[in-house]
Amino acid sequence: MSGHSMTKAKTLRLLERKLQSARIKPLVIFTLGEWVSLGETEKVKYASSLIQDPALFAATHVIVRSSASNEDSDTFSNAGHFKSVGDCPKGDIASVVEAIQTVVKSYGKNAKESDQVFIQEHIKNLKKIGVAFSCELSTHAPYYVVNYQETASDYEAITSGTTSNAKTYYRFKDSKNEIKDAELGALLSAIEEIESLLKWEAIDVEFAIDDQSQTWILQARKIVNEVTNRVIGVDELGAFLLKIEKKFKKMAKPYPYLYGESTVLGVMPDWNPAEIIGCKPRALSLSMYKELVTDNVWAYQRDNYGYKNLRSFPLLRTFGLHPFVDVRLTFNSFVPKAVSDQLSHKLVNYYLGKIKENPQAHDKVEFSIVLSCFHLSTEKDLRVLLESGFSEVEVKELSQALSGITSDIIQEGGHFQRDLERIEVLKEKQKTILDSDLPSVDKIYWLIEDCKRYGTLPFAGLARAGFIAKQFLDSFVDREIITLEERDDFLASLNTIARQFSRDMDKVARGELSREEFLREYGHLRPGTYDIRSRRYDESPELYFSQVTSLDLEKDQKPFQFSDEKKERIQSHLKEIGLKFNVDHLLNFIRKAIEGRESSKFVFTKSLSEAFVELEYFGSRFGFNRDDLSHLDINTIIRLYTTLIDDDVTEILLQSIDMNKRKLDITMSLKLPQLISEEEDIYDFFVFETEPNFITQGQVISDVVAGPLEGQDLKGKIIFIESADPGYDWIFTKNIKGLVTMYGGANSHMSIRAAELKLPAVIGAGEENYKIWSRAKKINLDCENKIVRVLS
């Protein structure tokens, strides 16, 4: 069935006659040639005759819709390009004529006389309106995808991207799960029937469901976008999803050495792989992250800092190359060692119940769910436990354990202080290895080993201290010792490595520092720290630092001092809750913890970046480029160091690369929720609305810049980045006015960066918010009121 002959109107006319599982309002169709040949008076008469057509007999209001010949075809779609005008009173001929003129005008200069316009009854009293796809749009994977708005009247609310309360539902085509929403079930039956009638492999359907639960089809078109990946069929993907289901069932059972009766998997709790490496990373990114952090280091740090010993438990579980955090491990690892086994078990089950009840808190578990330290507001959190079935004896036991662990972390000479010192050792280790004559494989091995011991391990400790510091600051606000603005002023006064970066970049702009000197210090950074394909600053400085202007940073950074009165109040609270350190020591800890976390990340990422440089050099000797190497498991290189291998090195590398390319194919086709609580979630789920983290109290209205940022004019714009690490700090040299990320937590690098620059930002907007906002031309980012408004 040719898409060139099947216009929107003709497709609907065909379906109107044959479709059984949904309905289509009758159409009155005419051509552009018929309309434009008429004079003004004749157009009024013609429009009057059209709306008297028996097809519109029952209508009180009509909608005039486009059906251009180049709107949809077998090879392209102009969906949304042309106008439709709805809610025209049938008796108001002038309104109908104006609507027709608006639709005709939208066809533009390339309009043809054969292009069509059609009129239908405007459906009233809608419960749902939206668009559904018979495959996942970017990969053509076999999923039904429904994006809709409830209690809507605007036919174009979803397709135009202006709605902010959309719901998205994914369902694997061969899912055996019951569809709990009967209206969505009826819609999917209609889509299946439309696929069969039109004999198209992939379709896009606009629909409406009225208050009588009747499904109306507004449009059906062939999906024509090309995909670069291998399209995975329903049988192959179904077999893989079944393996995931079986694996999850095993993981969700009670487990020796672990507290908690079940588990939950998430892409953002704890070490947040979604933000750092993405939900579908290539093998090198994933394996390097696991090696440096989530296989062992994460648990060693928690054990060192006084929490339960989870050593030998890898934090990440991967399906193909899709990483998930085992949240039961996270909750176990935040229980102080001093807590009894019985209470530990009860606590972990309680935490698991909370995240299942509040899945939107999955990126804020350390702030919203677990109790992992003691601060000025902890006793209020402990009262919630009393209301949730914990006894006073149990709450007192936990309170004492949290108080003890917090005091141990903050005290002089503890692990926190040693971690600050250990990072300095790594700088010397890096120089020793990089200045040596070791072969590339040996350099890679030792850069990684030293990074784990002297880089990511102390960084993990400093990151934990940074969380504690942030919770103390928030508790100062909660106890009304300081205001939100004062908290932001304190954060803006910090001298982090990111601020030093901006200050040095400013010196380059002023001619006070050479670009060469700047790159010697910061050249190892790259956007996408774990992605070998990403260019380092010193490889492509023009890409990142062209047109750098002076930022006048000093006017935004002001020293912040807690007044004597505020310090006395903090000291009084510390005494009241039994924490032994004094206020000056606490405030010094807060400052050092946040600054130390950022500086340690800067140092350890050099080891990672240099390992990639050596890997690129080594791989090139065997004919592999960066893209090839991005599919390599880093453990393949580690084995080359530790094992005498007689096999051909080229073949060894090629086997790993080819295997992981195949893994990536099926991983790209996977559509899994951000949180898996039950095995049913593997096959169909709603995308839950994430509560974004609004940073600062600022407000800005500006144009949006999304997509690849390199080479774009960013000055004065609100920038959108899916996930951002320290390698993206170059954007702050461009005088941007706001920042939005899809992933990221309240204490992530970009949150701290935005806070210290007093930059209005939304960190961790969530997939759906990000998609809607990033498609806008201009938005109002109002952090004080926690609102993002799409303006155009």
Side-chain angles (χ1 to χ4, degrees):
M1 190 176 294
S2 170
H4 291 287
S5 59
M6 290 299 293
T7 62
K8 182 199 299 185
K10 288 182 179 179
T11 300
L12 287 174
R13 176 62 58 80
L14 170 68
L15 293 175
E16 180 192 0
R17 296 167 181 159
K18 297 185 177 182
L19 186 62
Q20 300 297 311
S21 52
R23 297 176 65 186
I24 295 168
K25 286 292 183 182
L27 301 81
V28 176
I29 306 172
F30 58 97
T31 67
L32 201 65
E34 290 170 333
W35 179 259
V36 298
S37 66
L38 301 173
E40 296 304 315
T41 303
E42 292 173 307
K43 284 178 179 175
V44 173
K45 292 180 180 179
Y46 187 63
S48 180
S49 69
L50 290 172
I51 61 174
Q52 299 308 315
D53 189 290
L56 300 176
F57 177 76
T60 59
H61 289 71
V62 297
I63 181 170
V64 181
R65 306 182 63 196
S66 63
S67 183
S69 57
N70 65 339
E71 191 162 350
D72 299 304
S73 78
D74 285 341
T75 56
F76 64 88
S77 172
N78 270 324
H81 183 74
F82 304 111
K83 295 281 188 182
S84 290
V85 180
D87 211 18
C88 298
K90 182 181 174 184
D92 186 349
I93 300 302
S95 175
V96 175
V97 170
E98 184 180 354
I100 295 172
Q101 290 285 61
T102 298
V103 173
V104 169
K105 186 177 179 181
S106 73
Y107 287 11
K109 297 178 181 178
N110 297 321
K112 300 176 182 177
E113 288 191 356
S114 59
D115 285 340
Q116 296 173 326
V117 179
F118 66 101
I119 302 176
Q120 291 176 293
E121 178 182 349
H122 187 109
I123 306 167
K124 295 283 192 178
N125 302 318
L126 300 180
K127 289 174 66 178
K128 295 183 176 80
I129 187 164
V131 59
F133 304 97
S134 67
C135 66
E136 200 283 322
L137 197 56
S138 60
T139 63
H140 285 201
Y143 287 90
Y144 292 117
V145 186
V146 186
N147 188 224
Y148 66 95
Q149 183 179 1
E150 293 184 308
T151 61
S153 58
D154 180 2
Y155 276 35
E156 297 181 331
I158 293 292
T159 55
S160 66
T162 57
T163 183
S164 60
N165 62 341
K167 293 187 177 182
T168 302
Y169 173 66
Y170 286 90
R171 180 177 175 86
F172 174 58
K173 278 194 162 183
D174 204 24
S175 173
K176 302 301 186 291
N177 292 349
E178 177 188 354
I179 302 177
K180 296 175 182 176
D181 185 322
E183 292 170 349
L184 289 181
L187 171 65
L188 296 189
S189 295
I191 293 172
E192 190 174 4
E193 185 185 354
I194 292 170
E195 281 184 290
S196 175
L197 288 172
L198 297 178
K199 295 180 171 51
W200 290 341
E201 292 182 357
I203 62 169
D204 162 0
V205 173
E206 291 179 27
F207 69 91
I209 300 173
D210 65 22
D211 59 0
Q212 302 301 307
S213 295
Q214 174 63 55
T215 302
W216 298 94
I217 302 302
L218 308 179
Q219 183 165 329
R221 67 170 73 88
K222 187 174 185 179
I223 294 175
V224 296
N225 69 309
E226 294 184 7
V227 294
T228 56
N229 57 288
R230 178 172 70 90
V231 177
I232 306 297
V234 68
D235 291 339
E236 183 180 359
L237 188 58
F240 193 73
L241 291 174
L242 181 60
K243 290 179 182 178
I244 296 175
E245 179 188 351
K246 290 179 178 179
K247 183 69 173 177
F248 178 75
K249 283 181 179 178
K250 292 176 184 177
M251 293 176 62
K253 293 178 180 179
Y255 202 86
Y257 315 127
L258 289 178
Y259 305 112
E261 296 293 337
S262 64
T263 194
V264 169
L265 301 181
V267 299
M268 293 184 71
D270 210 352
W271 277 92
N272 203 337
E275 179 185 17
I276 307 301
I277 56 174
C279 290
K280 297 180 180 181
R282 293 194 176 188
L284 182 60
S285 298
L286 176 60
S287 61
M288 188 67 93
Y289 193 53
K290 284 164 61 68
E291 182 68 24
L292 290 181
V293 180
T294 65
D295 278 352
N296 296 293
V297 165
W298 79 280
Y300 275 58
Q301 176 274 315
R302 301 272 162 87
D303 185 24
N304 288 344
Y305 272 55
Y307 297 96
K308 296 289 188 183
N309 181 356
L310 273 294
R311 297 187 186 208
S312 301
F313 279 100
L315 182 64
L316 289 190
R317 297 300 185 97
T318 56
F319 302 137
L321 296 173
H322 197 313
F324 279 92
V325 170
D326 185 337
V327 181
R328 175 165 54 182
L329 294 180
T330 290
F331 291 158
N332 273 259
S333 74
F334 281 130
V335 178
K337 287 180 182 177
V339 173
S340 65
D341 288 342
Q342 183 178 357
L343 179 54
S344 298
H345 193 73
K346 188 172 182 178
L347 268 174
V348 172
N349 280 330
Y350 170 71
Y351 294 153
L352 287 166
K354 280 193 72 174
I355 197 169
K356 289 179 181 181
E357 291 171 7
N358 304 285
Q360 69 277 6
H362 72 123
D363 62 335
K364 306 175 182 67
V365 295
E366 293 178 65
F367 292 106
S368 302
I369 294 179
V370 301
L371 296 169
S372 62
C373 71
F374 208 89
H375 50 77
L376 273 56
S377 297
T378 300
E379 294 200 346
K380 183 168 65 174
D381 298 330
L382 291 171
R383 283 197 294 273
V384 176
L385 291 183
L386 288 172
E387 296 165 2
S388 303
F390 288 80
S391 70
E392 290 190 8
V393 172
E394 289 171 328
V395 169
K396 184 177 180 181
E397 180 186 343
L398 178 60
S399 176
Q400 290 175 342
L402 291 174
S403 178
I405 206 171
T406 304
S407 294
D408 289 345
I409 291 171
I410 295 178
Q411 70 176 350
E412 280 292 348
H415 271 288
F416 167 68
Q417 188 62 42
R418 291 197 291 275
D419 282 340
L420 283 173
E421 295 164 359
R422 194 175 295 176
I423 281 290
E424 295 303 311
V425 175
L426 182 59
K427 294 179 183 178
E428 294 302 318
K429 296 278 186 182
Q430 289 169 343
K431 189 174 187 306
T432 298
I433 295 301
L434 294 174
D435 289 348
S436 73
D437 294 327
L438 288 173
S440 288
V441 167
D442 297 51
K443 285 186 175 181
I444 294 167
Y445 177 82
W446 283 109
L447 284 166
I448 291 172
E449 285 300 303
D450 288 341
C451 186
K452 288 190 291 186
R453 183 170 301 168
Y454 301 102
T456 52
L457 181 56
F459 164 71
L462 296 172
R464 175 94 288 268
F467 273 109
I468 294 172
K470 180 67 164 53
Q471 288 187 299
F472 265 104
L473 280 176
D474 289 345
S475 73
F476 296 165
V477 176
D478 183 56
R479 300 303 290 264
E480 298 183 345
I481 298 169
I482 62 174
T483 65
L484 281 169
E485 290 79 8
E486 287 173 323
R487 184 198 64 182
D488 291 346
D489 288 342
F490 173 82
L491 291 171
S493 74
L494 298 177
N495 188 30
T496 63
I497 188 68
R499 182 170 286 280
Q500 294 169 32
F501 169 89
S502 295
R503 190 179 292 119
D504 286 343
M505 195 69 250
D506 195 43
K507 289 180 180 178
V508 173
R510 295 173 184 269
E512 298 171 7
L513 183 71
S514 72
R515 178 170 285 185
E516 291 72 23
E517 290 173 302
F518 175 84
L519 292 174
R520 272 198 294 274
E521 181 69 15
Y522 303 102
H524 69 274
L525 294 173
R526 59 174 101 211
T529 299
Y530 287 83
D531 189 349
I532 195 172
R533 297 169 298 166
S534 180
R535 294 280 170 183
R536 288 166 47 124
Y537 285 2
D538 57 10
E539 288 181 298
S540 303
E542 293 300 328
L543 190 63
Y544 303 115
F545 304 118
S546 60
Q547 301 176 337
V548 172
T549 57
S550 176
L551 304 179
D552 197 14
L553 292 168
E554 301 308 319
K555 72 175 184 179
D556 293 323
Q557 185 178 23
K558 300 174 183 177
F560 182 90
Q561 295 293 331
F562 283 85
S563 68
D564 289 342
E565 183 268 335
K566 293 182 188 298
K567 289 167 70 172
E568 286 175 8
R569 290 181 63 192
I570 294 171
Q571 186 66 65
S572 174
H573 282 297
L574 291 176
K575 183 177 180 180
E576 179 185 325
I577 62 179
L579 292 175
K580 304 300 184 185
F581 42 80
N582 65 42
V583 61
D584 289 322
H585 181 76
L586 173 60
L587 296 178
N588 187 49
F589 163 81
I590 292 173
R591 186 176 291 275
K592 278 188 174 181
I594 297 173
E595 292 177 348
R597 173 196 142 148
E598 296 305 298
S599 63
S600 63
K601 184 185 294 183
F602 175 77
V603 174
F604 92 71
T605 56
K606 183 171 184 178
S607 295
L608 171 56
S609 189
E610 296 293 353
F612 282 163
V613 171
E614 292 296 334
L615 179 57
E616 184 184 2
Y617 171 72
F618 177 72
S620 67
R621 291 166 47 198
F622 301 95
F624 297 106
N625 59 30
R626 283 183 170 187
D627 191 76
D628 298 326
L629 295 170
S630 70
H631 297 286
L632 182 71
D633 190 313
I634 194 60
N635 289 289
T636 304
I637 299 298
I638 292 173
R639 283 194 295 272
L640 289 177
Y641 174 82
T642 59
T643 309
L644 177 62
I645 297 176
D646 293 331
D647 297 338
D648 179 67
V649 172
T650 303
E651 186 60 30
I652 291 170
L653 299 181
L654 192 59
Q655 285 177 359
S656 177
I657 290 168
D658 285 347
M659 179 182 70
N660 287 309
K661 281 183 177 179
R662 291 192 295 273
K663 280 187 181 179
L664 186 63
D665 273 342
I666 200 158
T667 302
M668 294 305 293
S669 293
L670 282 178
K671 196 64 190 179
L672 295 170
Q674 294 184 351
L675 205 69
I676 300 176
S677 300
E678 309 290 343
E679 55 260 32
E680 288 81 5
D681 299 337
I682 295 164
Y683 296 95
D684 62 307
F685 58 93
F686 283 90
V687 177
F688 54 78
E689 187 175 340
T690 298
E691 182 182 340
N693 300 292
F694 286 86
I695 310 300
T696 79
Q697 304 300 299
Q699 180 176 172
V700 63
I701 295 174
S702 190
D703 294 335
V704 166
V705 176
L709 302 179
E710 295 84 351
Q712 294 205 60
D713 179 14
L714 308 184
K715 185 177 181 181
K717 307 296 197 309
I718 298 174
I719 308 305
F720 279 72
I721 312 172
E722 286 194 12
S723 58
D725 54 33
Y728 278 94
D729 277 357
W730 65 273
I731 66 173
F732 299 113
T733 69
K734 304 294 186 180
N735 277 318
I736 66 174
K737 294 301 182 186
L739 174 66
V740 179
T741 70
M742 183 186 296
Y743 302 115
N747 208 36
S748 67
H749 172 81
M750 282 297 169
S751 294
I752 292 171
R753 195 73 177 98
E756 70 177 7
L757 293 177
K758 291 193 173 181
L759 182 76
V762 179
I763 305 300
E767 290 185 33
E768 295 308 308
N769 284 333
Y770 186 92
K771 287 177 185 176
I772 293 167
W773 299 341
S774 63
R775 286 198 295 257
K777 293 180 181 178
K778 186 186 293 286
I779 64 172
N780 172 204
L781 180 53
D782 183 352
C783 294
E784 181 178 6
N785 294 303
K786 300 186 184 306
I787 294 172
V788 177
R789 301 178 181 89
V790 174
L791 303 181
S792 62

